[in-house]
Amino acid sequence: MSQPASNTRLRSARHAAGYRSQQELATALGVGVRQVRRWESESPPWPHPDLQQALTQLLGQDMESLGFTPPAGRDRPDPVRRSLVGATVAAVGLAAVPIQSATAMQPASVAADFEAVTRSHRRLYWSVAPATLQPAAIAHASLGCALLPETAGQTRRAVAAALAETWMLAGRIEFFDLCEPERASQTLLRALQAAGEADDPLLGAAILAHTAFIPGWDGRRDAAVERMVAARTYARRGPASAEFWAWLDAVEAECETRCGNTQTALHLIGHAEDTLAAGSEHASPAWMDWFTPVRLAAFKGNTQLKAGHLPQARTTLLGVLDNMPATEDKQRTVICGDLAAVEAASGNPEAACDYACRALDQLEITWYAMGMDRVREVRRALAPHQNQQCVRDLDERLYGWSTTVSALAR
């Protein structure tokens, strides 16, 4: 039997926007499924003006491209006005997003395909050189910017969420791996705009927390705290997991430590430990792969070091080193650097140099600017012992051609 004639344009646009059933579209529009069924019939009735606007915004196309014919005597939509109906926010550097023609829309599968590359980049971060991965992430983000105006509805939100994660990854690389805070600030702003397109509050909270590191590192406490307040506000819309809340405490503790407020930082870390112990019914998002209880202990050890609690810091950091997964190469350089700092502050230059060299061994395999910063801080702390052979041996490792040029450039 032949299929009954129907409004194939609307049905195709619905599928492209990620609404697999008539009921899903009806729910998104706040109407009954019977109404959507009538619109997808051979002779769809002309919708009420409010529903026209909702349809064009959700599906990304004008009414005629969706298969509707204006009633006799009704003016056709003005093409200039039509181009502005679907505009939302000027996300990721794009201008107003126009209503697309039917042939310009991407299929719903584009979201899954784009997300797959984003997930791959997330995993590659832990092993691929940052100078190699960062351009790839930026190129992927450029693709997402091109795809965004060619999608609508759920498909658009999925692409926007993956785009936000990609920008966030690029911003993390620029700040933590390449030490380019100004560039990272602009990249994270694009990430926040894309998260807004996706209407994903947890992504927004994560991005805002990352932006707090930038003023925190410069000792600008007020700006860091303001961004953390915004991050916590977004997280409450989540819902956020216990791990997510604990990570927010850890980020704020890191900023407080950088600003010289170690007691406040230790209090925040204690609160984070209590939060993790209590747990929650909510799972952490898949993209939050940078935080674990071991990572929290690493934050704690660094804060204890800065607070002058050297025996406690040594115990905490040695525990981190013992429990750190084999894949945590970048973080291992930071922990070795902090242990070196503990020994330098304790008057043990040979032990300090040993840990610093272990960090340099790892940095030769996996570069991490934060790890190198820790080693340089240790070398400055070892100035009173610079005539000892262990310190001279460290200098031989530290001041090769490439590292010297890098140090002078900064």
Side-chain angles (χ1 to χ4, degrees):
M1 295 179 62
S2 61
Q3 295 293 322
S6 63
N7 183 356
T8 57
R9 289 187 177 185
L10 178 59
R11 187 174 66 230
S12 297
R14 169 169 61 80
H15 285 295
Y19 300 102
R20 294 168 295 180
S21 68
Q22 293 176 336
Q23 182 61 63
E24 287 183 358
L25 179 60
T27 301
L29 290 167
V31 300
V33 68
R34 185 175 179 182
Q35 180 67 73
V36 176
R37 197 174 297 128
R38 293 175 63 204
W39 288 336
E40 291 193 5
S41 68
E42 181 180 10
S43 301
W46 187 250
H48 186 275
D50 290 345
L51 289 175
Q52 290 180 43
Q53 183 175 8
L55 277 167
T56 54
Q57 287 179 338
L58 281 178
L59 303 184
Q61 299 182 39
D62 61 69
M63 293 302 293
E64 292 181 64
S65 295
L66 292 173
F68 292 94
T69 302
R74 186 183 296 269
D75 293 335
R76 291 180 178 272
D78 178 71
V80 175
R81 186 169 185 265
R82 178 197 308 169
S83 69
L84 300 175
V85 172
T88 52
V89 300
V92 295
L94 294 174
V97 179
I99 296 300
Q100 302 292 318
S101 65
T103 57
M105 298 301 289
Q106 294 287 340
S109 59
V110 74
D113 293 337
F114 187 75
E115 289 169 339
V117 179
T118 298
R119 286 194 301 271
S120 296
H121 284 165
R122 183 198 310 158
R123 293 190 293 267
L124 289 170
Y125 172 75
W126 302 108
S127 59
V128 174
T132 301
L133 183 58
Q134 192 267 354
I138 293 295
H140 185 54
S142 297
L143 172 62
C145 292
L147 291 175
L148 204 58
E150 298 177 2
T151 57
Q154 294 179 354
T155 303
R156 181 184 180 87
R157 287 192 293 274
V159 170
L163 177 59
E165 184 187 340
T166 296
W167 282 125
M168 181 170 66
L169 174 64
R172 282 168 52 81
I173 294 172
E174 289 161 357
F175 182 74
F176 293 111
D177 297 79
L178 302 178
C179 281
E180 298 179 353
E182 292 184 4
R183 188 177 181 184
S185 180
Q186 294 301 313
T187 301
L188 291 171
L189 174 60
R190 295 186 180 97
L192 188 62
Q193 290 172 323
E197 271 295 288
D199 193 21
D200 190 324
L202 281 186
L203 257 178
I207 294 162
L208 283 164
H210 277 95
T211 68
F213 281 122
I214 298 173
W217 248 244
D218 286 340
R220 293 183 285 124
R221 182 179 181 273
D222 289 346
V225 169
E226 183 178 13
R227 295 179 187 195
M228 288 307 303
V229 169
R232 293 181 187 279
T233 301
Y234 276 70
R236 286 194 293 270
R237 302 168 186 166
S241 65
E243 290 80 8
F244 197 92
W245 285 115
W247 174 68
L248 292 181
D249 282 336
V251 172
E252 190 165 357
E254 180 81 359
C255 293
E256 292 286 2
T257 298
R258 293 275 175 166
C259 294
N261 303 318
T262 53
Q263 291 306 308
T264 301
L266 288 171
H267 175 76
L268 284 162
I269 290 172
H271 185 266
E273 291 172 331
D274 293 341
T275 300
L276 285 178
S280 73
E281 61 183 7
H282 306 299
S284 297
W287 42 258
M288 190 185 166
D289 60 350
W290 59 73
F291 185 75
T292 64
V294 175
R295 287 294 188 94
L296 177 60
F299 277 105
K300 182 177 183 178
N302 178 259
T303 300
Q304 289 170 329
L305 164 64
K306 296 296 176 61
H309 304 167
L310 301 182
Q312 297 92 326
R314 182 185 292 110
T315 299
T316 300
L317 293 167
L318 286 172
V320 171
L321 207 56
D322 288 341
N323 293 291
M324 185 174 292
T327 55
E328 296 278 0
D329 293 336
K330 292 182 177 181
Q331 188 66 15
R332 189 170 288 104
T333 65
V334 171
I335 301 307
C336 287
D338 281 347
L339 280 167
V342 169
E343 299 303 338
S346 300
N348 302 320
E350 290 189 5
C353 290
D354 179 64
Y355 280 120
C357 287
R358 288 174 63 178
L360 290 173
D361 289 340
Q362 186 61 58
L363 286 167
E364 289 179 357
I365 301 170
T366 307
W367 174 257
Y368 192 45
M370 294 295 171
M372 180 55 80
D373 282 348
R374 295 292 212 270
V375 175
R376 290 188 179 122
E377 288 175 8
V378 169
R379 178 57 186 88
R380 287 190 285 270
L382 289 171
H385 309 280
Q386 62 188 15
N387 292 324
Q388 294 192 27
Q389 188 60 46
C390 62
V391 179
R392 290 182 176 180
D393 291 342
L394 174 61
D395 288 345
E396 288 297 324
R397 293 287 310 279
L398 185 58
Y399 296 115
W401 284 110
S402 60
T403 53
T404 303
V405 170
S406 176
L408 290 176
R410 293 181 58 198

